[in-house]
């Protein structure tokens, strides 16, 4: 670690020495030209604005403009004629009509460049004053055919111009700082930081924290090590996540099994209790006459049938949820199956009168297990018959949209409370006014419907209407796989 630090320090010393030497060299050679260059754009813009304002106005108004600008920016403005006499000056002591003579160094400069000035060339440079070490930054350009504009700003020697020098040094200093930070960061990332980063990552992995990754771009041994650590972290994280997920699923499965067993026990208790009670009554000869004995026997048979249906439904649910249940998938016309189920129910006697109607296309080609889908239709229609209002309507509609067939079973009657709707397809769901169970049902009909439809890659649900309830399910249409 000490060797790496020494190398880093040596690199920084060499770099800073080179940068400081470069700064001194640049400061000594180029600062004057830099300042002149920096102010050139301002002077040229000033000249262009004055040239535009000068057109069409009197000398008096133009003098006012020059003095106002002098007050704002401190520049000295002179308008001279072809004889190099001062016609207008922003100096407060100047009076219109006076003819002042131009300074010798300015006059010599204009005479030297008279032809270029007449041709419209703009001159901008530092002019040394007469018998002085001081300079004026001066812009000289033609204002009109026989008049020229001079814009001047006094400039002390560059070495004494602290403000400009500080500005320049600040810029160089910022450059040095930026470069130094970049180099320091690079050296740290290149040599020290990747190792420290890998060390931190491995410490977190040891504590089963796999959130961090090595993001270095090095292709040397350190980079290879970092990528290997990433692969180890990802593999461990994936394995542990899978184990946690599996454990969570097992816990949920155990809870479901516990609730299922509790529900099954509850469902068995009532019919078993009735069978035992009426059997004991018959055994003890408590029936008053033959008719009452037959009534007891009839109740025992009904409850036995109920237990048989309940056991069959439980076995079917366990079979379909086991993952080994196989559907006999094929393409068939669901419209024919719907009509067959409706015809079956229309011929069955019912304790209450209602209107049974069907609205389906002439053909509904779907992909599925026809026998199981008939079971779905029978369960939903039976559920609807049990809850249709006396003299009401039980309506089955089916239609196709895109690659889905949707079937709806509507029955007029009471709505289902909203809080029960999401749970109706749960096995043995028990709630007041629940549609999933009643005295003649097992409480598993809608759960069986849900399992069968899911095996067909479809969906099912229920919603209320103003005058009743609608159960629905969807199926994919027939395709090449059927």
């Amino acid at each position: 670690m000490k060797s790496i630090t020494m190398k880093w320090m040596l690199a920084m010393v060499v770099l800073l020495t080179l940068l400081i030497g470069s700064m001194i060299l640049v400061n000594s050679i180029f600062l004057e030209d830099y300042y002149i260059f920096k102010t050139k754009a301002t002077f040229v813009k000033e000249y262009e604005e004055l040239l535009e304002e000068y057109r069409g106005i009197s000398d008096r108004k133009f003098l006012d403009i020059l003095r106002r600008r002098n007050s704002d920016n401190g520049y000295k403005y002179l308008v001279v004629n072809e004889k190099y006499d001062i016609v207008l000056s922003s100096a407060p002591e100047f009076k219109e009509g006076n003819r002042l003579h131009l300074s010798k160094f300015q006059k010599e400069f204009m005479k030297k460049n008279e032809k270029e000035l007449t041709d419209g060339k703009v001159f901008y440079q530092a002019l040394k004053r007469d018998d002085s070490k001081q300079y004026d930054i001066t812009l000289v350009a033609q204002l009109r055919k026989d008049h020229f504009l001079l814009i001047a700003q006094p400039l002390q020697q560059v070495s004494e111009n602290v403000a400009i020098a500080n500005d320049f040094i600040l810029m160089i200093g910022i450059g040095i700082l930026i470069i130094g930070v970049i180099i320091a960061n690079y050296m740290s990332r290149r040599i020290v930081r990747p190792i420290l980063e890998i060390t931190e990552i491995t410490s977190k992995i040891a504590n089963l924290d796999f959130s961090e990754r090595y993001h270095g771009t090095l292709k040397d041994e350190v980079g290879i090590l970092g990528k290997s650590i990433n692969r180890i972290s990802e593999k461990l994280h994936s394995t542990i996540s899978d184990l946690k997920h599996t454990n969570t699923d097992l816990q949920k499965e155990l809870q479901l099994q516990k609730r299922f067993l509790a529900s099954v026990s509850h469902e068995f208790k009532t019919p078993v209790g009735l069978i035992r009670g009426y059997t004991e009554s018959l055994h003890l000869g408590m029936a008053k006459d033959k008719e009452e004995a037959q009534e007891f026997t009839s109740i025992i048979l009904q409850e036995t049938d109920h237990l048989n249906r309940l056991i069959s439904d439980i076995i079917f649910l366990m079979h379909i949820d086991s993952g080994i249940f196989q559907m006999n998938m094929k393409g068939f016309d669901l419209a024919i199956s719907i009509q067959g189920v409706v015809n079956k129910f229309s011929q069955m006697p019912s304790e209450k009168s209602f209107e049974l109607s069907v609205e389906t296309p002439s053909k509904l080609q779907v992909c599925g297990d026809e026998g199981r889908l008939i079971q779905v239709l029978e369960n939903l229609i039976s559920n609807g018959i049990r809850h249709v209002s006396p003299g009401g309507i039980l309506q089955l509609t089916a239609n196709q949209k895109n690659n889905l067939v949707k079937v709806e079973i509507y029955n007029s009657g009471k709505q289902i409370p909203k809080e029960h709707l999401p749970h109706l397809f749960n096995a043995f769901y028990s709630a007041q006014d629940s549609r999933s169970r009643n005295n003649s049902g097992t409480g598993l009909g809608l759960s069986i419907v849900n399992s069968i439809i899911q095996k067909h890659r479809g969906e099912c649900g229920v919603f209320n209407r103003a005058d009743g309830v609608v159960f629905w399910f969807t199926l994919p249409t027939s395709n090449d796989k059927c």
Side-chain angles (χ1 to χ4, degrees):
M1 191 70 178
K2 182 178 180 181
S3 176
I4 293 175
T5 303
M6 289 300 295
K7 290 179 181 179
W8 178 79
M9 290 299 297
L10 179 60
M12 288 302 301
V13 169
V14 171
L15 175 66
L16 290 175
T17 301
L18 290 174
L19 288 175
I20 293 172
S22 299
M23 183 182 68
I24 294 173
L25 182 63
V26 170
N27 187 57
S28 301
I29 298 175
F30 299 108
L31 182 55
E32 179 179 346
D33 293 336
Y34 168 76
Y35 182 79
I36 294 173
F37 169 77
K38 184 177 180 180
T39 55
K40 179 178 180 179
T42 305
F43 273 69
V44 172
K45 182 179 179 182
E46 189 75 9
Y47 162 67
E48 291 174 348
E49 292 178 357
L50 289 172
L51 184 63
E52 185 68 25
E53 292 182 358
Y54 184 67
R55 295 172 182 171
I57 64 173
S58 64
D59 288 348
R60 178 61 184 172
K61 290 183 178 180
F62 191 60
L63 178 60
D64 292 338
I65 292 173
L66 296 179
R67 286 176 171 172
R68 184 171 63 251
R69 286 180 175 267
N70 170 261
S71 176
D72 293 339
N73 54 36
Y75 294 169
K76 182 178 180 182
Y77 299 90
L78 298 173
V79 177
V80 300
N81 58 21
E82 72 279 5
K83 296 180 180 180
Y84 308 111
D85 293 328
I86 299 175
V87 178
L88 296 175
S89 173
S90 60
E93 64 274 10
F94 176 81
K95 294 183 180 181
E96 190 175 0
N98 291 353
R99 286 294 183 266
L100 302 178
H101 296 292
L102 197 61
S103 298
K104 181 180 178 182
F105 72 96
Q106 294 174 330
K107 184 176 181 179
E108 289 177 351
F109 177 78
M110 290 186 68
K111 282 184 176 182
K112 181 181 178 181
N113 300 285
E114 181 178 2
K115 186 176 185 306
E116 290 87 346
L117 286 171
T118 306
D119 292 339
K121 184 176 180 179
V122 177
F123 284 90
Y124 175 81
Q125 66 183 70
L127 301 180
K128 187 179 180 180
R129 295 183 182 180
D130 299 329
D131 302 323
S132 174
K133 293 183 179 181
Q134 294 187 359
Y135 288 79
D136 284 350
I137 297 178
T138 306
L139 180 143
V140 184
Q142 189 177 39
L143 195 59
R144 68 185 188 192
K145 184 176 180 180
D146 55 350
H147 283 68
F148 300 92
L149 176 67
L150 282 79
I151 304 175
Q153 182 185 31
L155 176 66
Q156 294 179 350
Q157 291 183 351
V158 174
S159 59
E160 297 176 356
N161 198 330
V162 178
I164 300 299
N166 285 343
D167 183 33
F168 189 71
I169 292 172
L170 178 61
M171 292 180 63
I172 295 297
I174 291 174
I176 292 173
L177 179 61
I178 293 174
I179 293 173
V181 169
I182 292 174
I183 296 300
N185 184 57
Y186 173 78
M187 294 295 292
S188 176
R189 285 168 59 91
R190 184 78 182 178
I191 301 174
V192 180
R193 188 176 298 175
I195 299 175
L196 297 177
E197 184 179 350
I198 291 174
T199 302
E200 184 179 354
I201 291 172
T202 54
S203 299
K204 290 188 176 182
I205 291 175
N207 294 322
L208 301 182
D209 181 0
F210 308 102
S211 60
E212 293 293 330
R213 293 288 183 273
Y214 174 71
H215 300 291
T217 58
L218 299 178
K219 296 183 180 180
D220 55 13
E221 291 80 358
V222 175
I224 294 172
L225 176 62
K227 292 178 180 179
S228 299
I229 293 294
N230 285 347
R231 286 194 294 271
I232 293 172
S233 178
E234 290 170 1
K235 188 65 177 177
L236 285 173
H237 182 250
S238 176
T239 302
I240 293 176
S241 296
D242 290 343
L243 289 173
K244 288 181 179 180
H245 183 71
T246 302
N247 183 61
T248 301
D249 290 344
L250 287 173
Q251 293 294 329
K252 291 181 180 179
E253 187 67 26
L254 287 174
Q255 292 298 323
L256 287 174
Q257 290 182 7
K258 289 180 181 179
R259 288 198 295 268
F260 187 78
L261 288 174
S263 299
V264 168
S265 300
H266 177 76
E267 292 296 325
F268 271 76
K269 182 182 292 186
T270 300
V272 169
L274 288 173
I275 291 171
R276 179 179 178 83
Y278 282 105
T279 302
E280 287 181 350
S281 297
L282 288 174
H283 179 70
L284 296 174
M286 296 178 63
K288 297 178 181 179
D289 49 35
K290 186 177 180 179
E291 291 182 357
E292 190 172 28
Q294 289 179 346
E295 182 181 352
F296 288 176
T297 304
S298 177
I299 292 173
I300 291 171
L301 290 173
Q302 289 177 3
E303 294 303 320
T304 302
D305 290 340
H306 180 74
L307 278 177
N308 184 55
R309 292 196 304 273
L310 182 60
I311 292 170
S312 298
D313 287 347
I314 291 173
I315 292 173
F316 177 77
L317 269 181
M318 292 177 65
H319 193 193
I320 199 171
D321 291 338
S322 66
I324 61 174
F325 183 82
Q326 297 294 324
M327 292 284 182
N328 183 22
M329 306 294 283
K330 63 179 181 179
F332 70 96
D333 190 351
L334 184 64
I336 297 176
S337 301
I338 291 174
Q339 193 61 52
V341 173
V342 171
N343 291 339
K344 173 184 173 181
F345 277 94
S346 62
Q347 296 173 6
M348 294 174 61
S350 178
E351 297 178 356
K352 52 187 172 182
S353 61
F354 59 90
E355 178 185 346
L356 178 60
S357 66
V358 182
E359 295 181 7
T360 63
S362 59
K363 189 174 183 179
L364 283 173
Q365 198 71 17
V366 298
C367 177
D369 187 323
E370 184 175 8
R372 294 306 175 189
L373 291 177
I374 288 176
Q375 184 179 0
V376 168
L377 291 168
E378 290 177 346
N379 283 356
L380 292 179
I381 292 176
S382 298
N383 185 70
I385 291 174
R386 288 195 296 269
H387 296 90
V388 66
S389 57
I393 299 173
L394 181 65
Q395 185 179 45
L396 191 151
T397 59
N399 57 74
Q400 179 177 342
K401 185 175 182 181
N402 297 327
N403 296 323
L404 285 179
V405 170
K406 186 173 185 179
V407 179
E408 294 184 348
I409 295 90
Y410 158 76
N411 69 268
S412 60
K414 293 182 179 180
Q415 293 183 344
I416 301 173
K418 291 181 179 180
E419 63 270 19
H420 299 325
L421 292 177
H423 310 291
L424 290 184
F425 291 92
N426 297 343
F428 298 119
Y429 176 67
S430 177
Q432 185 179 2
D433 298 326
S434 170
R435 301 282 298 234
S436 63
R437 61 192 298 176
N438 56 37
N439 293 334
S440 60
T442 64
L444 295 173
L446 295 181
S447 181
I448 291 173
V449 167
N450 184 48
S451 296
I452 293 175
I453 294 300
Q454 286 185 354
K455 286 289 184 180
H456 283 78
R457 292 176 287 109
E459 296 180 349
C460 60
V462 58
F463 61 89
N464 288 319
R465 275 175 37 178
D467 54 352
V469 180
V470 177
F471 281 83
W472 60 271
F473 65 88
T474 60
L475 296 170
T477 56
S478 180
N479 53 42
D480 296 338
K481 294 182 179 180
C482 291

Coordinates of all heavy atoms in Angstrom, one line a residue, residues 315-370:
I315 N -61.5 -34.3 -4.5 CA -60.5 -35.1 -5.2 C -60.2 -34.5 -6.5 O -59.0 -34.4 -7.0 CB -61.1 -36.6 -5.4 CG1 -61.2 -37.3 -4.1 CG2 -60.3 -37.4 -6.4 CD1 -61.9 -38.6 -4.2
F316 N -61.2 -33.9 -7.2 CA -61.0 -33.3 -8.5 C -60.1 -32.1 -8.3 O -59.1 -31.9 -9.1 CB -62.3 -32.9 -9.1 CG -62.2 -32.2 -10.4 CD1 -61.8 -32.8 -11.6 CD2 -62.3 -30.8 -10.5 CE1 -61.7 -32.2 -12.8 CE2 -62.1 -30.1 -11.7 CZ -61.8 -30.8 -12.8
L317 N -60.4 -31.3 -7.3 CA -59.5 -30.1 -7.1 C -58.1 -30.4 -6.8 O -57.1 -29.8 -7.3 CB -60.1 -29.2 -5.9 CG -61.1 -28.1 -6.3 CD1 -61.5 -27.4 -5.0 CD2 -60.5 -27.1 -7.3
M318 N -57.9 -31.5 -5.9 CA -56.6 -31.9 -5.6 C -55.8 -32.4 -6.8 O -54.6 -32.2 -7.0 CB -56.6 -33.0 -4.5 CG -57.1 -32.5 -3.1 SD -57.2 -33.8 -1.9 CE -55.5 -34.3 -1.8
H319 N -56.6 -33.1 -7.7 CA -56.0 -33.7 -8.9 C -55.6 -32.6 -9.9 O -54.5 -32.6 -10.4 CB -57.1 -34.6 -9.6 CG -56.5 -35.4 -10.6 ND1 -57.2 -36.2 -11.5 CD2 -55.2 -35.7 -11.0 CE1 -56.4 -36.8 -12.4 NE2 -55.2 -36.5 -12.0
I320 N -56.5 -31.6 -10.1 CA -56.2 -30.5 -11.1 C -55.1 -29.6 -10.6 O -54.4 -29.0 -11.4 CB -57.5 -29.7 -11.4 CG1 -57.3 -29.0 -12.7 CG2 -57.9 -28.8 -10.3 CD1 -58.6 -28.4 -13.2
D321 N -55.0 -29.4 -9.2 CA -54.0 -28.5 -8.7 C -52.6 -29.2 -8.5 O -51.7 -28.6 -8.1 CB -54.4 -27.9 -7.4 CG -55.6 -26.9 -7.5 OD1 -55.7 -26.4 -8.7 OD2 -56.3 -26.7 -6.6
S322 N -52.6 -30.5 -8.7 CA -51.4 -31.3 -8.4 C -50.3 -31.0 -9.5 O -49.1 -31.3 -9.3 CB -51.7 -32.8 -8.3 OG -52.1 -33.2 -9.6
G323 N -50.7 -30.6 -10.7 CA -49.8 -30.3 -11.8 C -49.7 -31.5 -12.7 O -49.1 -31.4 -13.8
I324 N -50.2 -32.6 -12.4 CA -50.2 -33.8 -13.2 C -51.5 -34.0 -14.0 O -51.6 -34.9 -14.8 CB -49.8 -35.1 -12.4 CG1 -50.9 -35.4 -11.4 CG2 -48.5 -34.9 -11.7 CD1 -50.7 -36.7 -10.6
F325 N -52.5 -33.2 -13.7 CA -53.7 -33.3 -14.4 C -53.6 -32.9 -15.9 O -53.0 -31.9 -16.2 CB -54.8 -32.5 -13.7 CG -56.2 -32.6 -14.3 CD1 -57.0 -33.6 -13.9 CD2 -56.6 -31.7 -15.2 CE1 -58.3 -33.8 -14.4 CE2 -57.9 -31.8 -15.7 CZ -58.7 -32.9 -15.3
Q326 N -54.1 -33.7 -16.7 CA -53.9 -33.5 -18.2 C -55.3 -33.2 -18.8 O -56.2 -33.9 -18.6 CB -53.3 -34.7 -18.9 CG -51.9 -35.0 -18.4 CD -50.9 -33.9 -18.8 OE1 -51.0 -33.3 -19.9 NE2 -49.9 -33.7 -18.0
M327 N -55.3 -32.1 -19.5 CA -56.5 -31.7 -20.2 C -56.5 -32.3 -21.6 O -55.4 -32.4 -22.3 CB -56.6 -30.2 -20.4 CG -56.9 -29.5 -19.0 SD -58.6 -29.6 -18.5 CE -58.6 -28.7 -17.0
N328 N -57.6 -32.8 -22.1 CA -57.7 -33.3 -23.5 C -58.0 -32.2 -24.4 O -59.2 -31.9 -24.8 CB -58.8 -34.4 -23.5 CG -58.9 -35.0 -24.9 OD1 -58.0 -35.0 -25.7 ND2 -60.1 -35.6 -25.2
M329 N -57.0 -31.4 -24.8 CA -57.2 -30.2 -25.5 C -57.4 -30.5 -27.0 O -56.6 -31.3 -27.6 CB -55.9 -29.3 -25.4 CG -55.6 -29.0 -23.9 SD -56.8 -28.0 -23.1 CE -56.4 -26.4 -23.8
K330 N -58.4 -29.9 -27.6 CA -58.7 -30.0 -29.0 C -59.6 -28.9 -29.4 O -60.2 -28.2 -28.6 CB -59.4 -31.4 -29.3 CG -60.7 -31.6 -28.6 CD -61.4 -32.9 -28.9 CE -62.8 -33.0 -28.3 NZ -63.4 -34.3 -28.6
G331 N -59.7 -28.7 -30.7 CA -60.6 -27.7 -31.2 C -62.0 -28.2 -31.3 O -62.2 -29.3 -31.8
F332 N -63.0 -27.4 -30.8 CA -64.4 -27.9 -31.0 C -65.3 -26.6 -31.0 O -64.9 -25.5 -30.7 CB -64.8 -28.8 -29.8 CG -64.9 -28.2 -28.5 CD1 -66.1 -27.7 -28.0 CD2 -63.7 -28.0 -27.7 CE1 -66.1 -27.1 -26.7 CE2 -63.8 -27.4 -26.5 CZ -65.0 -26.9 -26.0
D333 N -66.5 -26.8 -31.3 CA -67.5 -25.7 -31.4 C -68.2 -25.6 -30.1 O -69.0 -26.4 -29.7 CB -68.5 -26.1 -32.5 CG -69.4 -24.9 -32.8 OD1 -69.3 -23.9 -32.1 OD2 -70.2 -24.9 -33.8
L334 N -67.8 -24.5 -29.4 CA -68.4 -24.2 -28.0 C -69.9 -23.9 -28.1 O -70.7 -24.2 -27.2 CB -67.7 -23.1 -27.4 CG -68.1 -22.8 -25.9 CD1 -67.8 -23.9 -25.0 CD2 -67.3 -21.5 -25.4
A335 N -70.3 -23.4 -29.3 CA -71.8 -23.0 -29.4 C -72.6 -24.3 -29.3 O -73.7 -24.2 -28.7 CB -72.0 -22.3 -30.7
I336 N -72.2 -25.4 -29.8 CA -73.0 -26.6 -29.8 C -73.0 -27.1 -28.3 O -74.0 -27.6 -27.8 CB -72.3 -27.7 -30.7 CG1 -72.4 -27.2 -32.1 CG2 -73.0 -29.0 -30.5 CD1 -71.7 -28.2 -33.1
S337 N -71.8 -27.0 -27.6 CA -71.8 -27.5 -26.2 C -72.7 -26.6 -25.4 O -73.4 -27.2 -24.5 CB -70.4 -27.4 -25.7 OG -69.5 -28.2 -26.5
I338 N -72.7 -25.3 -25.6 CA -73.6 -24.4 -24.8 C -75.1 -24.8 -25.0 O -75.8 -24.9 -24.0 CB -73.3 -23.0 -25.2 CG1 -71.9 -22.5 -24.7 CG2 -74.4 -22.0 -24.6 CD1 -71.6 -21.1 -25.2
Q339 N -75.4 -25.0 -26.2 CA -76.8 -25.3 -26.5 C -77.2 -26.7 -25.9 O -78.3 -26.8 -25.4 CB -77.0 -25.4 -28.1 CG -78.5 -25.4 -28.5 CD -79.2 -24.2 -28.0 OE1 -78.8 -23.1 -28.3 NE2 -80.4 -24.4 -27.3
G340 N -76.3 -27.6 -25.9 CA -76.6 -28.9 -25.3 C -76.8 -28.8 -23.8 O -77.7 -29.4 -23.2
V341 N -75.9 -28.0 -23.1 CA -76.1 -27.8 -21.6 C -77.4 -27.1 -21.3 O -78.1 -27.5 -20.4 CB -74.9 -27.0 -21.1 CG1 -75.1 -26.7 -19.6 CG2 -73.6 -27.8 -21.2
V342 N -77.7 -26.1 -22.1 CA -79.0 -25.3 -21.9 C -80.2 -26.2 -22.1 O -81.2 -26.2 -21.3 CB -79.0 -24.1 -22.8 CG1 -80.4 -23.4 -22.8 CG2 -77.9 -23.1 -22.4
N343 N -80.1 -27.0 -23.1 CA -81.3 -28.0 -23.3 C -81.4 -28.9 -22.2 O -82.6 -29.2 -21.8 CB -81.0 -28.8 -24.6 CG -81.1 -27.9 -25.9 OD1 -81.7 -26.8 -25.8 ND2 -80.5 -28.4 -27.0
K344 N -80.3 -29.4 -21.6 CA -80.4 -30.3 -20.5 C -81.0 -29.6 -19.3 O -81.9 -30.2 -18.6 CB -78.9 -30.7 -20.1 CG -78.8 -31.5 -18.8 CD -77.4 -31.8 -18.5 CE -77.2 -32.4 -17.1 NZ -75.8 -32.7 -16.8
F345 N -80.7 -28.3 -19.0 CA -81.2 -27.7 -17.8 C -82.7 -27.2 -18.1 O -83.5 -27.2 -17.1 CB -80.4 -26.4 -17.5 CG -79.2 -26.8 -16.6 CD1 -78.0 -27.0 -17.2 CD2 -79.3 -26.9 -15.2 CE1 -76.9 -27.3 -16.4 CE2 -78.2 -27.1 -14.5 CZ -77.0 -27.4 -15.1
S346 N -83.0 -27.0 -19.3 CA -84.4 -26.5 -19.6 C -85.4 -27.7 -19.4 O -86.6 -27.4 -19.2 CB -84.5 -26.0 -21.0 OG -84.2 -27.0 -22.0
Q347 N -84.9 -28.9 -19.5 CA -85.8 -30.1 -19.3 C -85.9 -30.5 -17.9 O -86.6 -31.4 -17.5 CB -85.3 -31.2 -20.2 CG -85.4 -30.9 -21.7 CD -84.8 -31.9 -22.5 OE1 -84.4 -33.0 -22.1 NE2 -84.7 -31.7 -23.9
M348 N -85.0 -30.0 -17.0 CA -85.0 -30.4 -15.6 C -86.0 -29.6 -14.8 O -86.2 -28.4 -15.0 CB -83.6 -30.1 -15.0 CG -82.5 -31.0 -15.6 SD -80.9 -30.5 -15.0 CE -81.1 -30.8 -13.2
P349 N -86.8 -30.3 -13.9 CA -87.8 -29.6 -13.1 C -87.1 -28.6 -12.1 O -86.0 -28.8 -11.7 CB -88.4 -30.7 -12.3 CG -87.4 -31.8 -12.2 CD -86.6 -31.7 -13.5
S350 N -87.8 -27.5 -11.8 CA -87.2 -26.5 -11.0 C -88.3 -26.0 -10.0 O -89.5 -26.0 -10.3 CB -86.8 -25.3 -11.8 OG -86.3 -24.3 -11.0
E351 N -87.8 -25.6 -8.8 CA -88.8 -25.2 -7.7 C -89.3 -23.8 -8.0 O -90.3 -23.4 -7.4 CB -88.1 -25.2 -6.4 CG -87.6 -26.6 -5.9 CD -86.9 -26.6 -4.6 OE1 -86.7 -25.5 -4.1 OE2 -86.5 -27.7 -4.1
K352 N -88.7 -23.0 -8.9 CA -89.2 -21.7 -9.2 C -89.1 -21.5 -10.7 O -88.3 -22.0 -11.4 CB -88.3 -20.6 -8.5 CG -86.8 -20.8 -8.7 CD -86.1 -19.8 -7.8 CE -84.6 -20.0 -7.9 NZ -83.9 -19.1 -7.0
S353 N -90.0 -20.6 -11.1 CA -90.1 -20.4 -12.6 C -89.2 -19.2 -12.9 O -89.0 -18.2 -12.2 CB -91.5 -20.0 -12.9 OG -92.0 -18.9 -12.3
F354 N -88.6 -19.3 -14.1 CA -87.7 -18.2 -14.6 C -87.6 -18.4 -16.1 O -87.8 -19.5 -16.7 CB -86.3 -18.2 -13.9 CG -85.6 -19.5 -14.1 CD1 -84.7 -19.7 -15.2 CD2 -85.7 -20.6 -13.2 CE1 -84.0 -20.9 -15.4 CE2 -85.0 -21.7 -13.4 CZ -84.2 -21.9 -14.5
E355 N -87.1 -17.4 -16.8 CA -86.9 -17.5 -18.2 C -85.5 -17.8 -18.5 O -84.6 -17.0 -18.1 CB -87.3 -16.1 -18.9 CG -87.1 -16.1 -20.4 CD -87.4 -14.8 -21.0 OE1 -88.0 -13.9 -20.3 OE2 -87.0 -14.5 -22.1
L356 N -85.2 -18.8 -19.3 CA -83.8 -19.2 -19.7 C -83.6 -18.9 -21.1 O -84.3 -19.4 -22.0 CB -83.6 -20.7 -19.4 CG -82.2 -21.3 -19.8 CD1 -81.1 -20.5 -19.1 CD2 -82.2 -22.8 -19.6
S357 N -82.7 -18.0 -21.4 CA -82.4 -17.6 -22.8 C -80.9 -17.7 -23.2 O -80.1 -17.7 -22.3 CB -82.9 -16.2 -23.1 OG -82.1 -15.3 -22.3
V358 N -80.7 -17.9 -24.5 CA -79.3 -18.1 -25.0 C -79.1 -17.2 -26.2 O -79.9 -17.1 -27.1 CB -79.0 -19.6 -25.4 CG1 -77.6 -19.7 -25.8 CG2 -79.3 -20.5 -24.2
E359 N -77.9 -16.5 -26.2 CA -77.6 -15.7 -27.3 C -76.1 -16.0 -27.7 O -75.2 -15.6 -27.0 CB -77.7 -14.2 -27.0 CG -79.1 -13.7 -26.7 CD -79.1 -12.2 -26.4 OE1 -78.1 -11.6 -26.5 OE2 -80.2 -11.7 -26.0
T360 N -75.9 -16.8 -28.7 CA -74.6 -17.2 -29.1 C -74.5 -17.1 -30.7 O -75.6 -17.3 -31.3 CB -74.2 -18.6 -28.7 OG1 -75.1 -19.5 -29.3 CG2 -74.3 -18.7 -27.2
P361 N -73.3 -16.9 -31.2 CA -73.2 -17.0 -32.7 C -73.4 -18.5 -33.1 O -73.5 -19.4 -32.3 CB -71.7 -16.6 -32.9 CG -71.3 -15.9 -31.7 CD -72.1 -16.5 -30.6
S362 N -73.6 -18.7 -34.4 CA -73.8 -20.0 -34.9 C -72.6 -20.9 -34.7 O -72.8 -22.2 -34.6 CB -74.2 -19.9 -36.4 OG -73.1 -19.3 -37.1
K363 N -71.4 -20.3 -34.6 CA -70.2 -21.1 -34.4 C -69.2 -20.4 -33.5 O -69.0 -19.2 -33.7 CB -69.6 -21.4 -35.8 CG -68.5 -22.5 -35.7 CD -68.0 -22.8 -37.1 CE -66.9 -23.9 -37.1 NZ -66.5 -24.3 -38.5
L364 N -68.7 -21.1 -32.6 CA -67.6 -20.6 -31.7 C -66.5 -21.6 -31.5 O -66.6 -22.5 -30.6 CB -68.2 -20.2 -30.3 CG -69.0 -19.0 -30.2 CD1 -69.6 -18.9 -28.8 CD2 -68.2 -17.7 -30.4
Q365 N -65.5 -21.6 -32.4 CA -64.5 -22.5 -32.4 C -63.4 -22.2 -31.3 O -62.9 -21.1 -31.3 CB -63.8 -22.6 -33.8 CG -63.0 -23.9 -34.0 CD -63.8 -25.1 -34.2 OE1 -65.1 -25.0 -34.4 NE2 -63.3 -26.3 -34.0
V366 N -63.3 -23.1 -30.3 CA -62.3 -22.8 -29.3 C -61.4 -24.0 -29.1 O -61.6 -25.1 -29.7 CB -63.0 -22.6 -27.9 CG1 -63.9 -21.3 -28.0 CG2 -63.8 -23.8 -27.5
C367 N -60.3 -23.8 -28.3 CA -59.3 -24.8 -28.1 C -59.5 -25.2 -26.6 O -59.2 -24.4 -25.7 CB -57.9 -24.3 -28.4 SG -56.6 -25.5 -28.0
G368 N -59.8 -26.4 -26.3 CA -60.0 -26.8 -24.9 C -60.5 -28.2 -24.7 O -60.6 -29.0 -25.7
D369 N -60.7 -28.6 -23.4 CA -61.2 -29.9 -23.1 C -62.7 -29.7 -23.0 O -63.3 -29.1 -22.1 CB -60.6 -30.3 -21.7 CG -61.0 -31.7 -21.3 OD1 -62.1 -32.1 -21.6 OD2 -60.1 -32.4 -20.7
E370 N -63.4 -30.3 -24.0 CA -64.8 -30.1 -24.1 C -65.6 -30.6 -22.8 O -66.5 -29.9 -22.3 CB -65.4 -30.8 -25.3 CG -66.9 -30.6 -25.6 CD -67.3 -31.2 -26.8 OE1 -66.6 -32.0 -27.5 OE2 -68.5 -30.9 -27.2

